[in-house]
Amino acid sequence: MAGASGSQDEEIGSINITPMVDVILVLLVIFMVTANFLKKESLNINLPKVQAADPNVAESVQVAITKTGAILLEGKDTDVSGLVRNLEREAKIRPNMRLTLSADESLPYGKITELMGIIRKAGVTKIALSVKK
């Protein structure tokens, strides 16, 4: 065997990692692209715009009222009595609890203040209004 440069029993001295790096980079790109679609489900509420907003909104209980008048507590649909029950229970556990109210900008002011009164009667005194920057 004049043309054979070595036998079958020789060990490979190096491993080519280029294909592995290519596969990892492709997976990274796929994860980066799909991460945009995995965002938290958002509500269709048009918040009013302001110049400065409170950065501590994420630490509070979230209550939202849609333009149709539906009330959501932490993203789950509820009614006024369910909202009051949950807020009274939370206010007993966390007396200094903070609540962020998100309301559609097309809602009448009276509807928002009525909901704020209900929230205050439930024992929550710290109410922030959610707005867009």
Side-chain angles (χ1 to χ4, degrees), residues 72-129:
L72 298 121
L73 175 64
E74 296 291 338
K76 296 177 183 168
D77 200 17
T78 187
D79 59 352
V80 174
S81 61
L83 177 69
V84 170
R85 275 194 315 273
N86 285 320
L87 291 180
E88 284 176 344
R89 186 180 67 237
E90 282 291 320
K92 287 178 184 174
I93 297 170
R94 297 173 16 200
N96 290 327
M97 177 180 72
R98 186 166 165 199
L99 183 136
T100 301
L101 178 61
S102 302
D104 195 277
E105 67 183 347
S106 66
L107 282 173
Y109 183 71
K111 189 82 169 166
I112 298 168
T113 56
E114 178 185 337
L115 185 61
M116 288 176 72
I118 292 168
I119 292 168
R120 283 192 184 269
K121 283 184 182 178
V124 179
T125 57
K126 296 181 180 181
I127 302 172
L129 295 175

Side-chain angles (χ1 to χ4, degrees), residues 53-75:
D54 190 1
N56 298 323
V57 169
E59 299 172 5
S60 63
V61 174
Q62 302 292 320
V63 174
I65 182 167
T66 64
K67 69 172 116 179
T68 61
I71 299 172
L72 298 121
L73 175 64
E74 296 291 338

